[in-house]
Each structure stands twice: as structure tokens, then as C-alpha cells.
Amino acid sequence: MFAYDLLLPSAPPNTKRETNLEILRRLNHNLALINEGELIALDAYRLIRKTEDGMSSWGYCCETAREENTNEIFVLICTDGTDTVERALNWVPLSQLQTRKHAQLFCDIAYEGPTEEVMRAILYLIRDAFEFAADTNWSYRKRLEFFHSFPFEELLTMEAVHKFRPVLFGCPAYTQSIDIDISPPKSE
């Protein structure tokens, strides 16, 4: 489907990527912590990368991989598209990324993106998609296509998230395979 217009990143060498089930478990665990007030969704999933040339770009944490020899953590980040930066998926060492709070406190970089409430709702959408991904054993490529096509930048309000849910779960890939409730969860 995306073969001609989508450049997907290779996983970093010698790394073990998360599986669909591990991503689902991480999302469930993190959403529980977020709901209990022990984790801030924006600080866990909305990160900024500042390059040597002084450019910075906000992005969304999609999944992680661990380097087998050094245990260095890599993050698959979907960067926001801007006038100067093209929207893309990239594997980036966690050490090159900063949280929203760190960027505001120490780098004087203004935050751009959804509110905490909207980020939590986005995580619920992704979690629900990964229930399906774990059940149907999505390939690495399928996960990358999902993250690349997910409209992060368009989901800036709760209304937008709620309107997107039936679009996402109403597509044939979901409706022909599994019975999914397309209404917003009560927890949102």
C-alpha cells in the first residue's frame, strides 16, 4: 500500500524491538500510571530532538528498542512535519531526546502540540489499535505504516480525537476482522 511513497526506517543494528504484545502491555501500564497521576503523558510520549545544528523538532514516541550489548535504548519517534522538517519516523537514541518539561526549563523551547488530556486520549486510541495488532500479529512494517499514517498533528482537541475514533476503527482492516466498539471509552 505504501511501497512507493513511504520510506520506513530500519531498526537500529543489534537491537531487540518491542513486540505488539509488549507495546500493548507498556501502553496499558503507562495509561494506568497516567490515570493515577504518577506519570505525565506529555512527558512520556511527546519528546523533542535537538540536533547539533541547533534545529529542534517535536515528535511522538511510538515504540522502543534496546541495544543488546550496551542496553542503550532507542525510540522510534514520529516527528512533526513543519516548514523546515519533514514528518518522518526515525530511530533515535533516548539520550538525544528531551521531555517537554526539560525543554521548557533548560532549553527555553516552547511546547507545541496537544494538551495532557488530548495526549491521554491519543494513547487510548493507540492502545485500542494495539489490542488488534497483538491479536492479528502485525509485522514490523505494518506497525511502521500505522505510526506513519496516524494523524498525530490533526488530533489537537478532544473533539478531533473522538471524531477520528470511528474513522480509524470503521476502516475495513478492523471491521472485517474484529468487533471493536468505535465509541470513545468512558475513561476518556
Side-chain angles (χ1 to χ4, degrees), residues 29-48:
H29 176 76
N30 288 349
L31 282 165
L33 292 174
I34 290 164
N35 290 333
E36 293 167 7
E38 296 180 25
L39 182 66
I40 298 171
L42 290 175
D43 286 337
Y45 286 89
R46 189 77 173 128
L47 305 170
I48 190 164

Side-chain angles (χ1 to χ4, degrees), residues 74-178:
F74 288 82
V75 175
L76 180 65
I77 191 163
C78 183
T79 55
D80 295 350
T82 66
D83 294 340
T84 58
V85 178
E86 187 174 334
R87 183 177 198 259
L89 287 172
N90 292 298
W91 283 102
V92 179
L94 181 59
S95 60
Q96 292 182 11
L97 298 170
Q98 298 173 350
T99 66
R100 171 190 57 100
K101 186 182 290 184
H102 187 272
Q104 289 175 323
L105 290 175
F106 300 107
C107 302
D108 197 31
I109 298 174
Y111 173 68
E112 298 172 12
T115 64
E116 177 71 11
E117 177 187 35
V118 172
M119 188 69 231
R120 185 174 57 238
I122 289 170
L123 292 175
Y124 273 106
L125 276 177
I126 294 171
R127 189 271 322 261
D128 292 350
F130 270 87
E131 286 182 357
F132 178 78
D135 287 344
T136 58
N137 196 27
W138 278 3
S139 67
Y140 173 64
R141 180 176 179 82
K142 175 82 172 173
R143 283 199 318 259
L144 292 180
E145 289 173 352
F146 171 79
F147 286 128
H148 191 275
S149 62
F150 194 86
F152 289 109
E153 295 93 346
E154 296 172 25
L155 302 178
L156 296 176
T157 65
M158 289 300 290
E159 180 183 6
V161 174
H162 292 312
K163 284 183 178 179
F164 180 65
R165 176 174 282 281
V167 172
L168 175 63
F169 294 117
C171 76
Y174 292 101
T175 58
Q176 294 174 1
S177 302
I178 193 168

Side-chain angles (χ1 to χ4, degrees), residues 59-79:
Y60 294 85
C61 171
C62 298
E63 67 179 85
T64 63
R66 184 177 301 273
E67 208 281 337
E68 293 175 349
N69 298 320
T70 64
N71 282 332
E72 181 176 17
I73 296 172
F74 288 82
V75 175
L76 180 65
I77 191 163
C78 183
T79 55

